Amino acid sequence: MTSMRDNRANVYEIQTYLRAIQMARGDKTLINPDGVFGKETEEAVKNFQRENNIIPTGRVNEETWNKLYAKYLLILKAAAPAAAVRIFPQEAVEFKIGDTSDEIYVLQVVLRRLDEELNRPENVTVSGTFDRETEIAVKNLQRLFDVPRTGIVDKALWNKFVEFNNVRHLYR
């Protein structure tokens, strides 16, 4: 049971969960976690209990704690970024002129978007086949990364390309 006499760390944790739930609901008034189980915390607990069909005592018993924690975990899960999909094969592979694969299709989609964003004249065709236009775009990418301009995509170049792409989108 949590009451005004319980330790500050536990109370702070409860307040943090309540605040996250309030924020997810879009409440205008939010509890301020301070580790003190005062009237504001008691009212927030009662409101949570009412919303979750628990007798509104304002005290955090096992049932209240379990529902509070479960709701908090759902909010964290919903707020987490989407999981990434690994596209490049695990074995050491190189992509070059004439190769065809799903990975090249993905490469071309991102190269095309990058070319459009940078107003470059290249028009990479999204076909899944590593053609001359894809090779030119890859060589330009290699120049951007200051690596040898081979026109071949290996795992090291792919990783630089993915990191560059992800960082660009992180700071938009």
Side-chain angles (χ1 to χ4, degrees):
M1 300 281 241
T2 300
S3 68
M4 293 180 206
R5 292 181 293 261
D6 285 302
N7 99 25
R8 291 179 75 91
N10 291 341
V11 173
Y12 185 84
E13 186 174 2
I14 289 165
Q15 291 169 329
T16 300
Y17 296 169
L18 288 167
R19 182 179 176 91
I21 292 165
Q22 291 170 332
M23 289 174 67
R25 281 193 315 235
D27 290 1
K28 295 196 185 313
T29 305
L30 302 174
I31 191 168
N32 292 311
D34 61 4
V36 176
F37 200 105
K39 287 289 180 198
E40 180 186 46
T41 303
E42 185 177 352
E43 282 306 309
V45 170
K46 283 182 182 178
N47 288 336
F48 177 82
Q49 289 170 325
R50 281 187 208 98
E51 293 165 4
N52 290 277
N53 300 315
I54 303 170
I55 298 170
T57 62
R59 295 173 56 91
V60 179
N61 59 15
E62 186 175 352
E63 179 184 17
T64 301
W65 169 257
N66 289 339
K67 286 191 177 183
L68 180 66
Y69 186 63
K71 190 157 268 190
Y72 176 72
L73 288 179
L74 285 174
I75 290 167
L76 286 182
K77 187 175 182 178
V85 176
R86 289 195 66 88
I87 299 292
F88 200 87
Q90 292 299 310
E91 62 276 359
V93 174
E94 292 183 343
F95 299 127
K96 59 191 175 313
I97 291 269
D99 291 344
T100 301
S101 72
D102 292 337
E103 293 85 356
I104 293 170
Y105 185 88
V106 172
L107 172 71
Q108 290 169 329
V109 167
V110 181
L111 280 171
R112 185 176 181 95
R113 190 175 65 211
L114 177 62
D115 287 346
E116 289 169 0
E117 289 175 9
L118 298 177
N119 294 318
R120 291 187 177 176
E122 297 96 5
N123 275 329
V124 174
T125 303
V126 179
S127 64
T129 299
F130 201 116
D131 56 14
R132 182 77 177 121
E133 291 80 19
T134 303
E135 182 186 46
I136 292 167
V138 167
K139 285 182 178 181
N140 287 333
L141 189 66
Q142 290 169 323
R143 182 175 58 225
L144 179 69
F145 295 150
D146 197 27
V147 296
R149 295 182 63 208
T150 63
I152 296 172
V153 178
D154 60 9
K155 194 177 343 185
L157 180 63
W158 180 276
N159 289 342
K160 284 182 183 229
F161 173 62
V162 168
E163 182 180 350
F164 176 74
N165 183 64
N166 292 347
V167 168
R168 278 187 17 265
H169 290 286
L170 187 64
Y171 293 106
R172 277 188 176 176

